Coordinates of all heavy atoms in Angstrom, one line a residue:
A1 N 0.8 -1.2 0.0 CA 0.0 0.0 0.0 C 0.9 1.3 0.0 O 0.5 2.3 -0.6 CB -0.9 0.0 1.2
V2 N 2.0 1.2 0.7 CA 2.9 2.4 0.8 C 3.7 2.6 -0.5 O 3.8 3.7 -1.0 CB 3.8 2.2 2.0 CG1 4.9 3.3 2.0 CG2 3.0 2.3 3.3
T3 N 4.2 1.5 -1.0 CA 5.1 1.6 -2.2 C 4.3 1.7 -3.5 O 4.9 2.1 -4.5 CB 6.0 0.4 -2.3 OG1 5.2 -0.8 -2.3 CG2 6.9 0.4 -1.0
G4 N 3.0 1.5 -3.6 CA 2.3 1.6 -4.8 C 2.3 0.3 -5.6 O 2.6 -0.7 -5.1
Q5 N 2.0 0.5 -6.9 CA 1.9 -0.7 -7.8 C 3.3 -1.2 -8.1 O 4.2 -0.5 -8.3 CB 1.1 -0.3 -9.0 CG -0.3 0.2 -8.7 CD -1.1 0.5 -10.0 OE1 -0.8 -0.1 -11.1 NE2 -2.0 1.4 -10.0
F6 N 3.3 -2.6 -8.3 CA 4.6 -3.2 -8.6 C 4.3 -4.3 -9.6 O 3.4 -5.0 -9.6 CB 5.2 -3.9 -7.4 CG 6.4 -4.8 -7.7 CD1 7.7 -4.3 -7.7 CD2 6.2 -6.1 -7.9 CE1 8.7 -5.1 -8.0 CE2 7.2 -7.0 -8.2 CZ 8.5 -6.4 -8.2
S7 N 5.2 -4.3 -10.6 CA 5.1 -5.4 -11.7 C 6.5 -5.7 -12.2 O 7.5 -5.0 -11.9 CB 4.2 -4.9 -12.8 OG 4.8 -3.8 -13.5
S8 N 6.6 -6.9 -12.8 CA 7.9 -7.3 -13.3 C 7.6 -7.8 -14.8 O 6.6 -8.5 -15.0 CB 8.4 -8.4 -12.5 OG 9.7 -8.9 -13.0
I9 N 8.6 -7.5 -15.7 CA 8.4 -8.0 -17.0 C 9.8 -8.3 -17.6 O 10.8 -7.7 -17.2 CB 7.8 -6.9 -17.9 CG1 7.5 -7.4 -19.3 CG2 8.6 -5.6 -17.9 CD1 6.7 -6.4 -20.2
A10 N 9.9 -9.3 -18.5 CA 11.1 -9.7 -19.2 C 10.9 -9.4 -20.6 O 9.8 -9.7 -21.2 CB 11.4 -11.2 -18.9
V11 N 12.0 -9.0 -21.3 CA 11.9 -8.7 -22.7 C 13.2 -9.2 -23.4 O 14.2 -9.1 -22.8 CB 11.6 -7.2 -23.0 CG1 12.8 -6.4 -22.4 CG2 11.4 -6.9 -24.4
R12 N 13.1 -9.6 -24.6 CA 14.2 -10.0 -25.4 C 15.0 -8.8 -25.8 O 14.5 -7.7 -26.1 CB 13.7 -10.8 -26.7 CG 14.9 -11.2 -27.6 CD 15.5 -12.5 -27.1 NE 16.6 -12.9 -28.0 CZ 16.4 -13.7 -29.1 NH1 15.2 -14.2 -29.4 NH2 17.5 -14.1 -29.8
D13 N 16.3 -8.9 -25.8 CA 17.2 -7.8 -26.2 C 16.9 -7.5 -27.7 O 16.6 -8.4 -28.5 CB 18.7 -8.2 -26.0 CG 19.1 -9.4 -26.8 OD1 18.3 -10.3 -27.1 OD2 20.3 -9.4 -27.3
E14 N 17.0 -6.2 -28.0 CA 16.8 -5.6 -29.3 C 15.3 -5.5 -29.6 O 14.9 -4.9 -30.6 CB 17.4 -6.5 -30.4 CG 18.9 -6.5 -30.4 CD 19.5 -5.1 -30.7 OE1 18.9 -4.4 -31.5 OE2 20.5 -4.8 -30.1
D15 N 14.4 -6.0 -28.7 CA 13.0 -5.8 -28.9 C 12.5 -4.4 -28.3 O 13.3 -3.7 -27.7 CB 12.2 -6.9 -28.2 CG 12.2 -8.2 -29.0 OD1 12.7 -8.1 -30.2 OD2 11.7 -9.2 -28.6
E16 N 11.3 -4.1 -28.4 CA 10.7 -2.9 -27.8 C 9.8 -3.2 -26.7 O 9.1 -4.3 -26.7 CB 9.9 -2.1 -28.9 CG 9.2 -0.9 -28.4 CD 8.5 -0.1 -29.5 OE1 9.1 0.1 -30.6 OE2 7.3 0.2 -29.4
V17 N 9.8 -2.4 -25.6 CA 8.9 -2.7 -24.5 C 8.2 -1.4 -24.1 O 8.8 -0.3 -24.2 CB 9.8 -3.2 -23.3 CG1 10.8 -2.2 -22.8 CG2 8.9 -3.7 -22.2
T18 N 7.0 -1.6 -23.6 CA 6.2 -0.4 -23.0 C 5.9 -0.7 -21.6 O 5.4 -1.7 -21.2 CB 4.9 -0.3 -23.8 OG1 5.1 0.0 -25.2 CG2 4.1 0.9 -23.2
L19 N 6.4 0.2 -20.7 CA 6.2 0.2 -19.3 C 5.0 1.1 -18.9 O 5.0 2.3 -19.1 CB 7.5 0.6 -18.5 CG 8.7 -0.1 -19.0 CD1 9.9 0.3 -18.2 CD2 8.6 -1.7 -18.9
S20 N 4.0 0.5 -18.2 CA 2.8 1.2 -17.9 C 2.9 2.0 -16.6 O 3.6 1.6 -15.7 CB 1.6 0.3 -17.8 OG 1.4 -0.4 -19.0
C21 N 2.4 3.2 -16.6 CA 2.3 4.0 -15.4 C 0.9 4.0 -14.9 O 0.0 4.5 -15.5 CB 2.7 5.5 -15.8 SG 2.7 6.6 -14.3
G22 N 0.7 3.4 -13.7 CA -0.6 3.1 -13.2 C -1.2 4.2 -12.3 O -2.3 4.0 -11.7
N23 N -0.4 5.2 -12.0 CA -0.9 6.3 -11.1 C -1.0 7.6 -11.7 O -0.8 8.7 -11.1 CB 0.1 6.3 -9.9 CG 1.5 6.7 -10.3 OD1 1.8 6.8 -11.5 ND2 2.4 6.8 -9.4
V24 N -1.4 7.7 -13.0 CA -1.5 8.9 -13.7 C -2.5 9.8 -13.2 O -3.6 9.4 -12.9 CB -1.7 8.6 -15.2 CG1 -1.8 9.9 -16.0 CG2 -0.7 7.7 -15.8
R25 N -2.2 11.1 -13.1 CA -3.2 12.1 -12.6 C -4.1 12.4 -13.8 O -3.7 12.5 -14.9 CB -2.4 13.4 -12.2 CG -1.6 13.3 -10.9 CD -0.7 14.5 -10.7 NE -1.4 15.7 -10.8 CZ -1.9 16.4 -9.8 NH1 -1.8 15.8 -8.6 NH2 -2.6 17.5 -10.0
D26 N -5.4 12.7 -13.4 CA -6.4 13.0 -14.5 C -6.3 14.4 -15.1 O -6.8 14.6 -16.2 CB -7.8 12.8 -13.8 CG -8.0 11.4 -13.4 OD1 -7.5 10.5 -13.9 OD2 -8.8 11.2 -12.4
D27 N -5.6 15.3 -14.4 CA -5.6 16.7 -14.9 C -4.3 17.0 -15.6 O -3.9 18.2 -15.7 CB -5.7 17.6 -13.7 CG -4.6 17.5 -12.6 OD1 -3.9 16.4 -12.7 OD2 -4.5 18.3 -11.8
Q28 N -3.6 16.0 -16.2 CA -2.4 16.2 -16.8 C -2.6 16.7 -18.3 O -3.6 16.4 -18.9 CB -1.5 14.9 -16.9 CG -1.1 14.4 -15.5 CD 0.0 13.4 -15.6 OE1 1.2 13.8 -15.7 NE2 -0.3 12.2 -15.6
D29 N -1.6 17.5 -18.7 CA -1.6 17.9 -20.1 C -0.3 17.4 -20.7 O 0.8 17.9 -20.4 CB -1.7 19.4 -20.2 CG -1.6 19.9 -21.6 OD1 -1.9 19.1 -22.6 OD2 -1.3 21.1 -21.8
Q30 N -0.3 16.4 -21.6 CA 0.8 15.8 -22.2 C 1.8 15.3 -21.1 O 3.0 15.5 -21.2 CB 1.5 16.8 -23.1 CG 0.7 17.2 -24.3 CD 1.4 18.1 -25.3 OE1 2.5 18.7 -24.9 NE2 0.8 18.3 -26.4
C31 N 1.2 14.7 -20.1 CA 2.0 14.0 -19.0 C 3.0 15.0 -18.3 O 4.0 14.6 -17.9 CB 2.8 12.8 -19.6 SG 1.8 11.5 -20.3
D32 N 2.5 16.2 -18.2 CA 3.4 17.3 -17.5 C 3.4 17.1 -16.0 O 4.1 18.0 -15.4 CB 2.9 18.7 -17.9 CG 1.5 18.9 -17.5 OD1 0.8 18.0 -17.0 OD2 1.0 20.1 -17.7
S33 N 2.8 16.1 -15.5 CA 2.9 15.8 -14.0 C 3.6 14.5 -13.7 O 3.7 14.1 -12.6 CB 1.5 15.9 -13.4 OG 0.9 17.1 -13.5
S34 N 4.1 13.8 -14.8 CA 4.7 12.5 -14.6 C 6.2 12.5 -15.0 O 6.6 13.1 -15.9 CB 4.0 11.5 -15.6 OG 2.6 11.4 -15.2
S35 N 6.9 11.8 -14.2 CA 8.3 11.6 -14.4 C 8.7 10.1 -14.3 O 8.0 9.4 -13.5 CB 9.2 12.4 -13.4 OG 9.0 13.8 -13.6
W36 N 9.7 9.7 -15.0 CA 10.2 8.3 -14.9 C 11.6 8.3 -14.5 O 12.4 9.0 -15.0 CB 10.1 7.6 -16.3 CG 8.8 7.1 -16.7 CD1 7.8 7.7 -17.4 CD2 8.2 5.8 -16.3 NE1 6.7 6.8 -17.6 CE2 6.9 5.7 -16.9 CE3 8.7 4.7 -15.6 CZ2 6.1 4.5 -16.8 CZ3 7.9 3.6 -15.5 CH2 6.7 3.5 -16.0
L37 N 11.9 7.4 -13.5 CA 13.2 7.2 -12.9 C 13.7 5.8 -13.1 O 12.9 4.9 -13.1 CB 13.2 7.6 -11.4 CG 13.0 9.0 -11.0 CD1 11.5 9.3 -10.9 CD2 13.7 9.3 -9.7
F38 N 15.0 5.7 -13.4 CA 15.6 4.4 -13.7 C 16.6 4.1 -12.6 O 17.6 4.9 -12.4 CB 16.3 4.4 -15.0 CG 17.1 3.1 -15.3 CD1 16.5 1.9 -15.2 CD2 18.4 3.2 -15.7 CE1 17.2 0.7 -15.5 CE2 19.1 2.1 -16.0 CZ 18.5 0.8 -15.9
T39 N 16.5 3.0 -11.8 CA 17.3 2.7 -10.7 C 18.0 1.3 -10.9 O 17.4 0.3 -11.3 CB 16.5 2.6 -9.4 OG1 15.8 3.8 -9.2 CG2 17.4 2.3 -8.2
T40 N 19.4 1.4 -10.8 CA 20.2 0.1 -10.8 C 20.8 -0.1 -9.4 O 20.5 0.7 -8.5 CB 21.3 0.2 -11.9 OG1 22.2 1.3 -11.5 CG2 20.7 0.6 -13.2
T41 N 21.7 -1.0 -9.3 CA 22.4 -1.3 -8.1 C 23.3 -0.2 -7.7 O 23.8 -0.1 -6.5 CB 23.1 -2.6 -8.1 OG1 24.0 -2.6 -9.2 CG2 22.2 -3.8 -8.3
S42 N 23.7 0.7 -8.6 CA 24.7 1.7 -8.4 C 24.1 3.2 -8.3 O 24.6 4.0 -7.6 CB 25.8 1.7 -9.4 OG 25.2 1.9 -10.7
N43 N 23.0 3.5 -9.1 CA 22.5 4.8 -9.0 C 21.1 4.9 -9.5 O 20.5 3.9 -10.0 CB 23.4 5.8 -9.8 CG 23.5 5.4 -11.3 OD1 22.9 4.4 -11.7 ND2 24.2 6.1 -12.1
T44 N 20.6 6.1 -9.5 CA 19.2 6.4 -10.0 C 19.3 7.6 -11.0 O 19.9 8.6 -10.7 CB 18.2 6.8 -8.9 OG1 18.1 5.6 -8.0 CG2 16.9 7.1 -9.4
I45 N 18.7 7.4 -12.2 CA 18.7 8.5 -13.2 C 17.3 8.8 -13.6 O 16.4 8.0 -13.7 CB 19.4 7.9 -14.4 CG1 20.9 7.5 -14.1 CG2 19.5 9.0 -15.5 CD1 21.6 6.9 -15.3
E46 N 17.0 10.1 -13.7 CA 15.7 10.6 -14.2 C 15.7 10.6 -15.7 O 16.5 11.3 -16.3 CB 15.4 12.0 -13.7 CG 14.0 12.4 -14.0 CD 13.7 13.9 -13.5 OE1 14.6 14.8 -13.8 OE2 12.7 14.1 -12.9
L47 N 14.9 9.7 -16.3 CA 14.8 9.6 -17.7 C 13.8 10.6 -18.3 O 14.1 11.2 -19.3 CB 14.4 8.1 -18.1 CG 15.3 7.0 -17.6 CD1 14.7 5.7 -18.0 CD2 16.7 7.2 -18.1
I48 N 12.6 10.6 -17.7 CA 11.6 11.6 -18.1 C 11.3 12.5 -17.0 O 11.0 12.1 -15.9 CB 10.3 10.8 -18.5 CG1 10.6 9.7 -19.6 CG2 9.3 11.7 -19.0 CD1 11.2 10.2 -20.9

């Protein structure tokens, strides 16, 4: 409940993948309230 939605997906290398955002705000204009972060074992990068 605290951490929100969680999912896991595997994809073949060189393929394309779409990662869903399940907590989108209804009042957004071109996703101007949404950001995507990428976390590995070493750091976190803001992609969007």
Side-chain angles (χ1 to χ4, degrees):
V2 171
T3 57
Q5 300 183 30
F6 169 87
S7 62
S8 178
I9 185 173
V11 63
R12 178 81 182 269
D13 64 326
E14 294 297 323
D15 283 353
E16 179 179 306
V17 65
T18 299
L19 308 181
S20 299
C21 181
N23 58 358
V24 179
R25 290 168 53 91
D26 296 331
D27 59 346
Q28 295 196 85
D29 179 20
Q30 297 183 347
C31 299
D32 60 354
S33 298
S34 298
S35 295
W36 277 96
L37 293 85
F38 174 54
T39 301
T40 65
T41 54
S42 59
N43 62 357
T44 297
I45 302 174
E46 185 180 47
L47 301 177
I48 304 297

